[in-house]
Amino acid sequence: MKIMQTQAYNLANPSYKRQRSKSSSTNPQFTGKYDQLAEWIANNYYKRFYNSKFSRKFIENTKGPMWDNMTTHMSALGSTLISGMYIVKTLQNDKLDKEKRKTLALNDFMVWGLSTFGAYFMDSKLGNWWDGVTTRFAANYLLDNPESMKKDILGDWNPANLRKVMKEQGYKSIRDFNLDILKDKKLTTLIDGMGVLKSLFVFGMVYRYIVPVLVMKPANWIGNYYHKKQAEKAQAAQTENK
């Protein structure tokens, strides 16, 4: 939910201007009108929405660990809905043999279950490592934007010592350090984007590549074994009835 809160703050306080590269061939008149339109939308739509009672109440009631990984939860929810539809459609497909439908549905279910577990597990395990990557990213940002280093507060320091400075100030998270000390809105957005990128990459790799490749053969084997046992039981029951 930190991402949503940051976006809400940025949109509710639209003080930015779209920057254009000097080498851009974009028409200056068009760019100016684009900036005016973006500013008008920010002030008349986003600002009003995020300052509304509904938005403030929603943000206040969605604070806490459950909402910190909103990207992860939404990715899992979307994958669950898609997998559920695949399973239902497979079971309802009259063009497939009944046993084949069950095997394919079992395959889809196993892929969904292992993918969801694996994605959450990998996402959490990469947390500490990704924090280090994000801190290095922030250090490079500060090298390019020395005006954000707050030397009047922290003294004469270099981004190469960012972790040391954070530790001295009692911060483990670069995001919290930035929010409290540097107070660079753009850096906050970039840091949040790094977290979203990590979660989306993990879920994409696990759901689309890693688990489907690993699970397909075992799922088919389990499905065939199950149906074989069911057929043997049915045949044994028929023999007894005779």
Side-chain angles (χ1 to χ4, degrees):
M1 203 59 213
K2 292 179 180 177
I3 296 175
M4 181 178 290
Q5 293 168 337
T6 301
Q7 292 173 335
Y9 181 84
N10 290 340
L11 290 170
N13 297 273
S15 59
Y16 64 90
K17 289 289 184 180
R18 181 174 177 264
Q19 296 181 347
R20 184 169 59 93
S21 172
K22 293 182 180 180
S23 62
S24 173
S25 59
T26 306
N27 189 321
Q29 185 177 2
F30 174 80
T31 303
K33 290 183 178 179
Y34 178 90
D35 290 339
Q36 292 176 8
L37 177 62
E39 197 76 14
W40 184 88
I41 293 174
N43 279 302
N44 291 277
Y45 176 73
Y46 290 113
K47 184 175 181 179
R48 290 185 181 181
F49 176 76
Y50 283 109
N51 283 335
S52 66
K53 291 182 179 180
F54 170 80
S55 295
R56 290 199 298 269
K57 194 168 184 180
F58 179 79
I59 291 172
E60 286 297 323
N61 291 331
T62 52
K63 291 180 180 179
M66 165 64 186
W67 298 91
D68 288 345
N69 295 324
M70 181 55 66
T71 302
T72 305
H73 301 323
M74 293 305 294
S75 297
L77 177 61
S79 298
T80 299
L81 293 174
I82 293 173
S83 298
M85 287 189 292
Y86 273 128
I87 293 172
V88 172
K89 288 293 184 182
T90 299
L91 292 174
Q92 294 177 344
N93 191 347
D94 295 333
K95 295 181 180 179
L96 295 175
D97 177 77
K98 184 177 180 181
E99 300 303 322
K100 185 67 173 177
R101 277 183 273 169
K102 292 180 179 180
T103 301
L104 292 174
L106 177 62
N107 187 312
D108 290 337
F109 178 78
M110 289 183 64
V111 168
W112 166 79
L114 290 177
S115 294
T116 302
F117 173 79
Y120 271 104
F121 179 78
M122 187 178 296
D123 192 60
S124 64
K125 289 299 180 181
L126 289 176
N128 291 333
W129 175 77
W130 194 254
D131 286 343
V133 173
T134 305
T135 302
R136 290 194 294 273
F137 170 82
N140 288 326
Y141 173 88
L142 293 171
L143 281 172
D144 295 333
N145 300 272
E147 69 279 2
S148 300
M149 291 172 59
K150 299 295 182 184
K151 291 185 179 293
D152 56 327
I153 299 176
L154 300 172
D156 190 14
W157 66 285
N158 190 288
N161 300 324
L162 180 55
R163 291 186 181 181
K164 179 181 178 182
V165 173
M166 287 172 53
K167 187 175 181 180
E168 291 174 349
Q169 295 291 323
Y171 290 94
K172 294 183 179 180
S173 166
I174 179 60
R175 188 180 192 281
D176 292 338
F177 177 75
N178 177 55
L179 287 175
D180 293 344
I181 305 297
L182 302 178
K183 299 180 180 180
D184 188 312
K185 295 179 183 179
K186 182 178 179 180
L187 181 56
T188 300
T189 302
L190 293 173
I191 291 171
D192 288 339
M194 291 285 287
V196 172
L197 175 64
K198 184 255 295 181
S199 294
L200 290 178
F201 176 78
V202 168
F203 267 75
M205 288 297 294
V206 172
Y207 271 94
R208 298 303 176 191
Y209 296 102
I210 299 176
V211 172
V213 172
L214 296 177
V215 168
M216 185 173 293
K217 287 187 177 180
N220 286 334
W221 183 85
I222 293 174
N224 291 332
Y225 178 80
Y226 172 78
H227 296 313
K228 180 181 178 181
K229 289 297 182 182
Q230 291 295 107
E232 290 176 354
K233 286 183 180 180
Q235 186 174 2
Q238 289 179 357
T239 303
E240 290 179 2
N241 291 332
K242 291 180 180 179

